Amino acid sequence: FASAASYTDSSDDEVSPREKQQTNSKGSSNFCVKNIKQAEFGRREIEIAEQDMSALISLRKRAQGEKPLAGAKIVGCTHITAQTAVLIETLCALGAQCRWSACNIYSTQNEVAAALAEAGVAVFAWKGESEDDFWWCIDRCVNVDGWQANMILDDGGDLTHWVYKKYPSVFKKIRGIVEESVTGVHRLYQLSKAGKLCVPAMNVNDSVTKQKFDNLYCCRESILDGLKRTTDVMFGGKQVVVCGYGEVGKGCCAALKALGAIVYVTEIDPICALQACMDGFRVVKLSEVIRQVDVVITCTGNKNVVTREHLDRMKNSCIVCNMGHSNTEIDVVSASPSGLWFGFGSMSSSVLTPASSQGRLLNLSCSTVPTFVLSITATTQALALIELYNAPEGRYKQDVYLLPKKMDEYVASLHLPSFDAHLTELTDDQAKYLGLNKNGPFKPNYY
């Protein structure tokens, strides 16, 4: 079975997971997934992911004796994939209790969610949730009798928003928030600017190990994978416009250019626009090329990038997709959610968008993403949680913080292919600078 297809028993498709009574082999029903019977297949996928996430597994082995997250009660809202499962199980091995929901209604791998539920993780997610299901799952993770979260791991800010809106008293126990997306980080900065952020928050998105690896290299490979799986399009000779030339845009443009596509870039930041120009791309306004391009890809982290006016002017069978976190970059409200083809303008004009994403994050909705790159982000997230949870009182105020540079260097060094050899070659001073303890247990010294 292909992992992206998220193997399901079609006979169960008509029954909502919320209406099912399911228990795992230990008799627990503290979860809500598509089909708990898929757990064995999901476990195989997690084991395969572990093979290419050596740094996270290394962190698990080195730190699980000390249990740096003992007493941590983490509520998480991320994509639920095999790679995220390795992170969740690492956090549990380090002493944490976890409750988890999905940050995207299409990105959950059902068999992986089942494997987590079988392992005892309180997971509430399935592929193809409705909007009501999405918020219900988040609520089930937060609103629990006898269990009070003290850490938040978020991707996109929806979990933080829900807690702030519905359960503000929960923040009295929260030690910190770890956020990994540009969308969620923007929302945190808005709260901070308004004086409404009542706990410290760690901005993982702007760490070097997230920007320069996950955003760039992950999207460079997964943009093509997602589009080819869903549309079978050939990119050679196609005219493509990429909206946004941040790290995600850079990765998308590099992949498309390598396959022979004619790539245009739209960008409002003059520095990024100059970078696009120096990399050989023509910087344009979307309105200038919208009638002629074959593919439109948004990756700005903003909203209303592709409007109804743009959709009406597109050529027949133009492919429109989004690589940003939220579907608000494209005016999907104007589109019918019923199928693969969406009609605009005259009857002879139509726009093609992958039905399995419907304007949401293309790569995680329509395919999978490279495990090795996600290992870098996951390791960074784990260390950020350890740092915030164990930080002495007063180190962090009620504000948004960037990760210490030494933490980024530590994560990068963990992912060197011959890390063990590099570690033995480090001098004591170099090891101390990187926060490594060459001979003892896991004790990163970030300060």
Side-chain angles (χ1 to χ4, degrees):
F1 302 106
S3 59
S6 193
Y7 167 64
T8 57
D9 181 355
S10 59
S11 64
D12 291 335
D13 285 350
E14 68 278 4
V15 181
S16 168
R18 291 169 61 173
E19 300 174 7
K20 297 179 183 178
Q21 295 294 325
Q22 301 184 81
T23 58
N24 63 17
S25 62
K26 301 177 183 65
S28 173
S29 59
N30 188 20
F31 61 88
C32 188
V33 300
K34 185 70 174 177
N35 188 349
I36 191 65
K37 296 177 182 178
Q38 299 171 6
E40 183 180 352
F41 175 48
R43 177 53 54 187
R44 293 202 301 271
E45 291 216 319
I46 295 172
E47 290 170 351
I48 291 171
E50 288 177 345
Q51 302 306 308
D52 209 21
M53 301 182 79
S54 55
L56 193 59
I57 298 300
S58 174
L59 175 65
R60 181 192 299 182
K61 291 178 179 178
R62 295 175 63 186
Q64 64 184 355
E66 298 175 26
K67 303 290 184 192
L69 291 175
K73 296 181 178 179
I74 303 172
V75 58
C77 182
T78 66
H79 303 284
I80 297 182
T81 63
Q83 296 80 16
T84 307
V86 179
L87 169 62
I88 295 170
E89 294 189 340
T90 296
L91 299 177
C92 293
L94 301 188
Q97 297 178 29
C98 296
R99 298 182 68 83
W100 227 265
S101 63
C103 69
N104 184 298
I105 62 176
Y106 295 119
S107 65
T108 298
Q109 293 175 338
N110 287 332
E111 64 280 1
V112 171
L116 287 170
E118 175 61 30
V121 177
V123 56
F124 298 83
W126 58 93
K127 189 178 183 73
E129 298 169 0
S130 67
E131 288 287 339
D132 181 64
D133 292 334
F134 175 79
W135 294 112
W136 179 85
C137 288
I138 290 179
D139 193 78
R140 286 296 304 273
C141 287
V142 178
N143 186 19
V144 189
D145 291 335
W147 194 89
Q148 173 71 66
N150 54 26
M151 294 293 295
I152 291 176
L153 178 58
D154 210 353
D155 184 348
D158 287 324
L159 170 58
T160 302
H161 168 76
W162 189 255
V163 175
Y164 184 84
K165 178 182 177 182
K166 295 287 187 178
Y167 308 103
S169 61
V170 170
F171 282 115
K172 295 177 181 179
K173 297 283 187 179
I174 297 292
R175 297 194 190 184
I177 301 168
V178 174
E179 171 60 57
E180 74 155 317
S181 76
V182 65
T183 302
V185 165
H186 282 168
R187 296 169 83 170
L188 288 174
Y189 280 124
Q190 287 174 344
L191 286 175
S192 179
K193 187 176 181 180
K196 297 180 179 180
L197 184 62
C198 47
V199 295
M202 197 69 82
N203 172 3
V204 169
N205 178 75
D206 290 321
S207 65
V208 177
T209 46
K210 173 66 163 58
Q211 286 277 334
K212 300 298 183 183
F213 293 89
D214 195 332
N215 292 20
L216 177 61
Y217 299 122
C218 176
C219 295
R220 188 177 69 181
E221 298 195 18
S222 59
I223 177 63
L224 302 178
D225 188 20
L227 280 172
K228 283 185 173 295
R229 287 197 199 199
T230 51
T231 66
D232 294 326
V233 66
M234 182 171 183
F235 287 99
K238 290 291 192 301
Q239 297 192 57
V240 182
V241 58
V242 176
C243 302
Y245 202 68
E247 299 304 325
V248 174
K250 288 179 174 67
C252 293
C253 287
L256 294 162
K257 182 180 180 180
L259 285 189
I262 301 164
V263 182
Y264 304 99
V265 171
T266 71
E267 179 57 69
I268 62 172
D269 183 278
I271 295 176
C272 292
L274 181 59
Q275 286 180 311
C277 181
M278 298 300 290
D279 287 338
F281 302 108
R282 182 183 168 194
V283 181
V284 299
K285 291 182 179 180
L286 185 58
S287 58
E288 294 175 357
V289 297
I290 197 64
R291 289 187 183 276
Q292 69 193 59
V293 294
D294 302 291
V295 184
V296 179
I297 302 169
T298 59
C299 43
T300 68
N302 210 328
K303 61 182 180 180
N304 299 327
V305 178
V306 176
T307 65
R308 177 57 189 261
E309 180 183 357
H310 294 127
L311 293 169
D312 285 336
R313 297 174 59 201
M314 289 178 186
K315 66 191 296 185
N316 188 41
S317 299
C318 178
I319 297 171
V320 186
C321 62
N322 171 47
M323 285 290 284
H325 178 82
S326 176
N327 64 344
T328 55
E329 297 203 31
I330 302 169
D331 184 9
V332 292
V333 176
S334 295
S336 165
S338 59
L340 185 67
W341 291 88
F342 298 124
F344 299 96
S346 66
M347 292 182 63
S348 62
S349 175
S350 58
V351 175
L352 175 64
T353 184
S356 50
S357 69
Q358 295 188 12
R360 296 176 185 269
L361 192 60
L362 173 78
N363 53 0
L364 280 156
S365 298
C366 300
S367 64
T368 56
V369 291
T371 300
F372 179 79
V373 174
L374 288 191
S375 176
I376 299 176
T377 300
T379 306
T380 306
Q381 290 173 300
L383 289 172
L385 286 166
I386 292 171
E387 170 63 18
L388 278 180
Y389 184 69
N390 292 284
E393 187 176 352
R395 174 176 289 174
Y396 297 107
K397 311 298 182 185
Q398 296 174 352
D399 205 349
V400 183
Y401 291 86
L402 291 172
L403 289 164
K405 184 172 182 288
K406 292 178 183 178
M407 187 184 291
D408 280 327
E409 293 170 338
Y410 176 67
V411 173
S413 66
L414 278 176
H415 286 83
L416 290 171
S418 55
F419 173 68
D420 291 337
H422 282 271
L423 183 59
T424 58
E425 294 170 4
L426 292 176
T427 66
D428 290 339
D429 286 343
Q430 289 171 329
K432 183 178 180 181
Y433 174 75
L434 288 175
L436 301 175
N437 188 342
K438 293 169 61 177
N439 301 312
F442 174 75
K443 288 279 187 185
N445 304 307
Y446 304 129
Y447 297 92

